[in-house]
Amino acid sequence: KAAGGQRWQRFDPRMDRAADDTARLAADLRGALAGEQFFVLYQPIVSLPDGVTTGAEVLLRWQHPERGLVPPDVFIPVAERTGVIHELGAWVFEQACRQSADWSARFGAGAPGRISVNVSARQLADPDFVDAVAATLRATGADTDHLLLEVTETAVLNAETAIDQLNRLKALGLRIALDDFGTGHSSLSLLLTCPVDVLKVDKSFVSGASAEDAGAIIVKNIIGFTTDFGIDAVAEGVETRDQAERLHAAGYRLAQGYLFGRPMSAEAFEATFQTAAVAA
Ligand code: C2E
Ligand code: MG
Ligand code: MG
Ligand code: MG
């Protein structure tokens, strides 16, 4: 009765409601691209020694007409399950390519180094993915030197063809980052088979409160072996000066987090790297 109307409800309707909600979200997602409800933000990636912006990660946002801003942790899994991720991911990559080409044309060497784009497990498993990426690169004229694709360890481990796909992406000139490193079922042997250029160290290890906790020890070990392998490491989720100082002392050169900048519009991001270029 409390739910109103002539509705039948089971004793515990929570699971049904959750399933209903996901179904509704999935339906909304299909219409959202056409409805122009998506947009992307750019979060700076900075060089720790001097704080200079070296690039940005592209982060997708969904402005739902009734729900407001839906976080990617909620809608990306639904987009993956329903297959919408292929179209959505292609759209994000195209935005990144267009923006990168535009920055290169307008700022030349003063443009931010590299734009990172997240690629989901299902995209990587799609046999047509690499051809679609190549077509977008051609159509937008974006320079692969200014782009990087982020994949998760889980995505690489789940798809039989993942390493092959990554090698094909590398052949196009793209760089590859392993995202959220340390949170999946990672094994270090992945670094021997997987053509990675960058490891993004998950924020759960970075956010440790002291220099002695387990996260801090992992963070120190990761910088040790990435240096030996010739791989760049980016510390994710850096929120405090203290964390930044400890990472720098441990040997990290690159970091990303609220301390340096929240995800922001292309215009706002542009302003930050223009200011940096003028100051330099
Ligand atoms: P991610 O790729 O690991 O992205 C980093 C996430 O950490 C972002 O969350 C970012 O806003 C957040 N973050 C950055 N600095 C800090 C910090 O200092 N503190 C805290 N607490 N958080 C910080 P966001 O934008 O909500 O995205 C969440 C996840 O959704 C991403 O994690 C990524 O897995 C996925 N995602 C976002 N955009 C895309 C996309 O275009 N495609 C795909 N496939 N996945 C995406
Ligand atoms: Mg990422
Ligand atoms: Mg990450
Ligand atoms: Mg993440």
Side-chain angles (χ1 to χ4, degrees), residues 43 57 59-61 72-73 76 92 118 120 150 179-180 203 236-239 257-258 263:
Q43 185 179 31
E57 178 172 5
L59 294 160
L60 182 59
R61 296 290 180 265
D73 287 331
I76 294 283
V92 173
N118 290 287
S120 84
E150 300 191 2
D179 202 358
D180 305 338
K203 56 176 170 280
E236 296 194 273
V238 180
E239 292 181 347
Y258 295 166

Side-chain angles (χ1 to χ4, degrees), residues 40-41 43 57-61 71-77 80 85 88-89 92-93 117-121 123 150 152 179-180 200 202-203 236-240 243 256-263:
V40 293
L41 297 178
Q43 185 179 31
E57 178 172 5
V58 180
L59 294 160
L60 182 59
R61 296 290 180 265
D73 287 331
V74 171
F75 72 80
I76 294 283
E80 285 223 316
I85 194 69
L88 193 52
V92 173
F93 184 65
V117 183
N118 290 287
V119 171
S120 84
Q123 285 176 275
E150 300 191 2
T152 61
D179 202 358
D180 305 338
K200 297 196 75 173
D202 194 70
K203 56 176 170 280
E236 296 194 273
V238 180
E239 292 181 347
T240 68
Q243 286 164 0
Q256 177 181 352
Y258 295 166
L259 176 67
F260 308 106
R262 299 239 168 195

